């Protein structure tokens, strides 16, 4: 499968999570072209602030592969991971993070996600200097922002 098909799956999971009352985040972990794990944000359902999509997918991948080392894996996400998730991505040694929402639109994306925005401002780090390669699939940026906006519309009511 290609980067595009994995990203389509990631966006499908996020859209479904929003439709089911969840938050607009999903993650798909792939190794050698095969999906190892998937996760969606379940913070509001579990009342566990660490149940971000990336964390859920990493937990499932390490369990499935029976290793803490996810070298050789790629993670597909809707937007840039928060600092907590990025730390786990670095520790687990994921090679690439492929995201939909354009890094140039980071301020716009973070304005839709005020708690993440506050974390980035507090930490003041650009994680792209620290580990995995970051690859943006710009053709999916508008769709990713659309999912964030759909979620914002639901939470604003």
């Amino acid at each position: 499968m290609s980067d595009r098909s994995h990203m389509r799956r990631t966006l499908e999971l996020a859209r479904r999570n929003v439709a089911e009352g969840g938050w607009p985040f999903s993650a798909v972990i792939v190794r050698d072209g095969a999906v190892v794990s998937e996760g969606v944000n379940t913070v509001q359902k579990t009342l566990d602030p660490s149940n971000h999509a990336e964390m859920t997918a990493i937990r499932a991948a390490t369990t499935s592969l029976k290793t803490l080392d996810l070298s050789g894996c790629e993670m597909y996400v809707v937007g840039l991971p928060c600092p907590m998730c990025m730390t786990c991505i670095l520790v687990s040694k994921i090679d690439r993070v492929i995201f939909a929402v354009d890094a140039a639109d980071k301020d716009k994306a973070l304005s839709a996600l005020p708690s993440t925005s506050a974390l980035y401002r507090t930490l003041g780090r650009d994680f792209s200097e620290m580990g995995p390669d970051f690859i943006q699939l710009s053709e999916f940026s508008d769709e990713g922002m659309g999912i964030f906006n759909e979620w914002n519309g639901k939470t604003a009511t």
Side-chain angles (χ1 to χ4, degrees):
M1 294 184 81
S2 70
D3 281 345
R4 286 172 177 76
S5 60
H6 293 306
M7 183 56 71
R8 281 188 195 97
R9 175 64 180 158
T10 303
L11 293 170
E12 174 188 320
L13 290 169
R15 189 174 291 105
R16 185 181 317 146
N17 203 40
V18 168
E20 294 173 358
W23 292 358
F25 306 102
S26 60
V28 174
I29 296 179
V30 173
R31 180 181 271 172
D32 297 326
V35 173
V36 174
S37 66
E38 299 177 337
V40 297
N41 184 302
T42 60
V43 168
Q44 77 292 352
K45 293 176 184 174
T46 62
L47 301 178
D48 180 343
S50 71
N51 278 344
H52 289 201
E54 298 91 337
M55 302 291 281
T56 302
I58 288 171
R59 289 177 187 132
T62 57
T63 299
S64 173
L65 297 173
K66 297 181 178 26
T67 182
L68 296 173
D69 185 348
L70 298 180
S71 297
C73 290
E74 305 165 330
M75 178 182 280
Y76 295 80
V77 294
V78 179
L80 295 172
C82 78
M84 174 185 68
C85 294
M86 186 52 66
T87 300
C88 198
I89 289 166
L90 293 169
V91 169
S92 65
K93 302 178 185 171
I94 289 173
D95 290 345
R96 295 192 322 151
V97 176
I98 300 94
F99 60 96
V101 175
D102 187 341
D105 292 337
K106 184 176 172 182
D107 290 336
K108 184 167 68 170
L110 293 179
S111 71
L113 310 163
S115 62
T116 301
S117 181
L119 286 171
Y120 276 113
R121 279 194 313 273
T122 301
L123 295 175
R125 284 300 303 231
D126 178 359
F127 286 100
S128 63
E129 303 169 355
M130 298 177 65
D133 291 332
F134 286 82
I135 299 159
Q136 188 257 328
L137 296 180
S138 60
E139 67 197 79
F140 294 101
S141 185
D142 288 343
E143 187 175 352
M145 279 304 302
I147 295 168
F148 288 151
N149 291 333
E150 179 183 342
W151 174 70
N152 273 332
K154 287 179 182 241
T155 60
T157 59

